[in-house]
Amino acid sequence: MERRLFLTSLSAAAVTAACGGGGSDPAPAPGAPPAPGTPAYEPPVDPDPFRQSTKVAMRRAAIHMDQNVSYRGAYVWSWLASDRNKLWGEMEAYPTMCWMQPTGTPSVGNCLLDAYKATGDENFYKAAERTALAMIEAQHPSGGWNYIYDFAGEASLKRWYQTVGANGWRLEEFQHYYGNATFDDATTAVSSQFMLRMYLEKKDPRFKSALEKAIGFVLDAQFKSGIAAGGWPQRFPRAFNATRSMPAPNWPPTGPGWEHLQPGAQNGDFIIQGPGGIPARPGYTGVFSGMEDGDYTNFVTFNDDVMGENIKFLLLCVFGLGDTSLKAPVVAAMDCMYNIMYEYDGVPANSSNPNAGTTPQAGWGLQHLSSDSVDAYGVLRRAGLPAAARSYEPRGLSPSVSITNANQLFHYFRLTGDRKYIAKLGRVFDWIDTCALRANQRAGGDPESILTGTHARVVELDSNRPRFPHRYGTNIHNGAYYFDYDWRRTPSHYNASQNASTATPRATLARLQALSNAEIAAMVANSPLNVDGERPLPKYFSVNGEVDFPHLWANSVKGTATRTAEQTQALIDNLGEKNFWGTNQSLFTNPYTQDGPSAPYLGKEYMSTHVGDVYDTSPYGVNQRPNVEPYASNPPAVNTVIESTTFVNNLGNLISFIEPVTPVTDPAYKA
């Protein structure tokens, strides 16, 4: 899923309580500042007038977010500045909801804690504490976090899933109430990092209990046996059959303009046989509508770097808590990525795909099967094979995910010194170089193509042909996604192409392969896997980007950005007397009114747009809407909004000015 901000015109919510820590909160949470708009603590005055004015501005912005924008210390992604009962996470939200998915609640919490560490001002700590207490309430009993939480209770949340969520045509994660927690988009990982920091800051036992639950969740969710051992699913605990609540695909679309999808039709050099493939030739993919491998939430997930985020959190606990027992699950996760890599030798006789080619393949898909499974074609597929995910994510290898995983394996080699982690990467890069898109498949080469990346997002197993998603209809009730080999008119909301250059990773691989045994030993000596006791975490987590693997080495320091007095003054001026940084609304959604119609629609106006008809609650930009009524003649009004991302970025820039940290890369890691 995308970590993006957007705004919508929200219908009247069922809950009318105002947002924020102000007087409309029915029960102020423990740790809430006593008087809205005023600091609970007066810190010492900085002798430097400009630094003092900067700190005052930081405090005003933080108190305003805490008391007037948040709900009990919890945050979504954006709010209408003129009416903060209109608010949005990745979709429209009720006023009592918060988003645990970054850049929501845990991202703001980390930022507030960063401000406290930079200034020592207890106002920032109290705001961060209030956020952490809200997150404890939002924590799933299993120990993880869902994308969203509703303080009004599960009945309210279920109502949201059944209305707003269920009608977001392209946002399939929100079309089902799972009742569990997710690793997607670093939702649980970033929340867990923040809880670790809150506990370590003052050793508050309330946060220790929540942290222990979070660690337990990560360990419990990890697959324990087979080729999937060490990997993580997208969601946990498993919710069986949740994705069956989606409307069944209306396949195939019939009528003028859709003849190319009828059984028996020619599609390039493939004959369309319908969604079940060719009965006499099991494993054929061809054109398909739906989820080829069923519910994808229990597969080993590489999408959005689930593996890397969980490993990073466990390593932070290893040296933050001195908990060396967490090293074993870290190594198991690293081994899973190495073990589960897919390889095809280029011999068609060894493939189940009747259209297999002679080009060898080596890489990873967005997700891989965690156990043996019978797919939608009725074919038994073995654990470890690349799997399809959402209904617009076909089964295959992903060049961009493979580059990401290769970079992860570089880290794993640096962590352990084990050369096996980089031994096969040359094959991966060789494969990626064989499947770049042709010029006539990309935007500029074909007037109907919107593909701008170097490679298709998904490449078919063994045939090495790119597979592209498409959709027809106007909403989730009369439309569906399907896959084929046509690069034209792909959905704009899902990048069917991505960049996957091998030049930089090849150079990194050559450098690592050239290291001597002595150099590897020095590198591993400073690895977080060799920590035997506690040592401090990086000072800042939200300033100048996220904490990443290079920051975890013994002699590394995560630094801040360089900010000038002029840049700082501009941020203070922009804050003004309103106490928030406003931005112009850029993305919108339709309000939920009712489920969309199921009557077939033969037009193609919605194929490459972010949003469907007016019943689709998915987000869209002004230039991402269909060229039909009522969109064509009614552009949405642009309002001023408050965004959590803007707050985090701007507060981080002020921190960088008043309390900068010089970045240092551990020499052994850098080598």
Side-chain angles (χ1 to χ4, degrees), residues 217-231:
F217 175 81
V218 174
L219 299 182
D220 291 343
Q222 195 172 32
F223 294 115
K224 303 300 191 296
S225 61
I227 195 170

Side-chain angles (χ1 to χ4, degrees), residues 107-190:
S107 301
V108 176
N110 270 324
C111 180
L112 293 168
L113 192 55
D114 286 349
Y116 171 68
K117 296 181 82 69
T119 64
D121 185 341
E122 286 291 328
N123 291 288
F124 294 116
Y125 180 80
K126 285 299 179 182
E129 178 186 59
R130 192 164 179 248
T131 296
L133 292 171
M135 289 177 60
I136 290 175
E137 180 173 343
Q139 190 173 23
H140 189 269
S142 64
W145 284 268
N146 187 25
Y147 300 108
I148 48 182
Y149 180 75
D150 193 336
F151 290 95
E154 288 298 288
S156 177
L157 182 61
K158 289 179 180 178
R159 181 169 61 250
W160 182 92
Y161 271 103
Q162 293 163 359
T163 54
V164 178
N167 283 276
W169 190 8
R170 66 180 179 82
L171 295 166
E172 295 181 0
E173 292 83 355
F174 299 116
Q175 291 169 8
H176 331 282
Y177 172 81
Y178 289 95
N180 57 9
T182 184
F183 289 111
D184 190 34
D185 280 351
T187 297
T188 288
V190 175

Side-chain angles (χ1 to χ4, degrees), residues 379-600:
V379 176
L380 175 65
R381 304 189 71 236
R382 296 300 182 187
L385 290 174
R390 292 171 289 189
S391 63
Y392 45 82
E393 290 176 320
R395 177 194 303 162
L397 296 183
S398 171
S400 58
V401 166
S402 296
I403 291 288
T404 297
N405 285 6
N407 286 325
Q408 287 292 313
L409 288 168
F410 291 153
H411 291 312
Y412 304 163
F413 168 68
R414 291 175 170 123
L415 284 164
T416 65
D418 192 335
R419 293 182 185 272
K420 77 176 183 183
Y421 291 120
I422 60 175
K424 298 181 181 180
L425 294 184
R427 302 179 209 172
V428 175
F429 304 145
D430 289 344
W431 163 66
I432 291 172
D433 287 341
T434 70
C435 59
L437 292 173
R438 303 188 306 267
N440 71 328
Q441 293 176 313
R442 302 175 66 191
D446 186 319
E448 291 190 278
S449 173
I450 62 171
L451 306 177
T452 58
T454 59
H455 291 70
R457 190 165 189 155
V458 176
V459 176
E460 188 173 63
L461 299 178
D462 305 352
S463 77
N464 217 38
R465 291 187 60 157
R467 300 186 76 191
F468 299 104
H470 301 279
R471 72 180 184 183
Y472 60 90
T474 68
N475 61 65
I476 191 173
H477 300 283
N478 68 12
Y481 290 89
Y482 64 93
F483 320 129
D484 64 11
Y485 307 92
D486 188 348
W487 56 87
R488 294 162 292 191
R489 306 193 73 165
T490 54
S492 63
H493 69 78
Y494 184 78
N495 293 324
S497 70
Q498 293 180 315
N499 291 321
S501 172
T502 62
T504 297
R506 281 188 187 277
T508 301
L509 177 61
R511 287 197 303 272
L512 296 181
Q513 288 174 327
L515 291 177
S516 67
N517 289 338
E519 289 171 320
I520 292 174
M523 176 180 67
V524 173
N526 289 337
S527 161
L529 280 178
N530 279 327
V531 171
D532 292 324
E534 297 179 24
R535 64 177 172 85
L537 302 184
K539 183 173 183 178
Y540 302 135
F541 272 57
S542 70
V543 180
N544 195 27
E546 302 175 347
V547 170
D548 207 349
F549 281 94
H551 306 133
L552 306 184
W553 259 250
N555 297 316
S556 290
V557 178
K558 182 180 183 295
T560 56
T562 300
R563 305 297 298 179
T564 66
E566 290 75 19
Q567 291 171 319
T568 300
Q569 185 62 58
L571 284 179
I572 295 172
D573 292 343
N574 186 264
L575 186 67
E577 296 301 318
K578 62 186 185 301
N579 294 329
F580 66 84
W581 290 287
T583 57
N584 288 331
Q585 180 176 350
S586 60
L587 292 166
F588 310 83
T589 65
N590 299 312
Y592 172 76
T593 55
Q594 64 183 56
D595 291 349
S598 58

